[in-house]
């Protein structure tokens, strides 16, 4: 079983950190799902989108639940985020991680705006 704080810190960094951080902590076969018109996008397309958009300055999680078996982990939560150039973001999210070469890599993320 993984240290839950490590996985939650990684999840928070996906919201706040640079596109380079996201690229280095995401599995190559990752699939990210947003509501239409965006829909499902691959990790490579996500990197281009992140580079073109302002990042959030703060994100808070509540209604958080997680499970892991040491090899895979699933996080489910409600996020509220703010940035200086953005209107507030509120969404219900689920993220999946897989341990690869001793490190956690995101393999999936699903976000539904609230």
């Amino acid at each position: 079983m993984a240290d839950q704080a490590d996985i939650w810190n990684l999840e928070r960094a996906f919201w706040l950190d640079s596109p380079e951080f996201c690229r280095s902590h995401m599995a190559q076969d990752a699939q990210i799902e947003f509501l239409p018109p965006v829909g499902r996008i691959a990790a490579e397309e996500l990197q281009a989108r992140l580079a073109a958009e302002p990042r959030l300055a703060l994100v808070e999680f509540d209604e958080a639940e997680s499970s892991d078996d040491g090899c895979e982990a699933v996080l489910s939560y409600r996020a509220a985020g703010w940035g200086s150039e953005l209107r507030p973001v509120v969404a219900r999210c689920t993220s999946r991680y897989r341990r690869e070469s001793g490190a956690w890599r995101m393999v999936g993320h699903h976000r539904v705006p609230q």
Side-chain angles (χ1 to χ4, degrees):
M1 194 148 151
D3 180 355
Q4 291 292 317
D6 290 344
I7 297 172
W8 284 106
N9 288 336
L10 184 60
E11 184 73 12
R12 184 175 310 285
F14 269 102
W15 284 84
L16 302 174
D17 217 320
S18 68
E20 292 77 25
F21 171 90
C22 296
R23 180 190 50 74
S24 68
H25 291 84
M26 187 172 288
Q28 288 186 349
D29 62 344
Q31 292 291 316
I32 311 303
E33 180 115 11
F34 297 97
L35 287 179
V38 176
R40 181 175 290 174
I41 60 176
E44 186 175 298
E45 183 180 347
L46 178 65
Q47 303 313 311
R49 286 178 173 270
L50 291 176
E53 296 178 3
R55 302 297 288 161
L56 294 175
L58 175 67
V59 67
E60 295 178 357
F61 300 154
D62 62 10
E63 300 175 23
E65 297 179 21
S66 61
S67 65
D68 77 80
D69 64 7
C71 296
E72 294 184 341
V74 177
L75 308 180
S76 176
Y77 59 96
R78 182 181 168 277
W82 300 267
S84 61
E85 299 178 34
L86 301 170
R87 58 189 161 110
V89 174
V90 179
R92 186 83 196 145
C93 304
T94 302
S95 292
R96 289 184 20 241
Y97 289 86
R98 173 175 65 219
R99 191 173 286 285
E100 294 180 355
S101 302
W104 288 107
R105 300 279 184 247
M106 181 182 277
V107 294
H109 180 78
H110 184 224
R111 184 183 302 177
V112 178
Q114 301 273 292

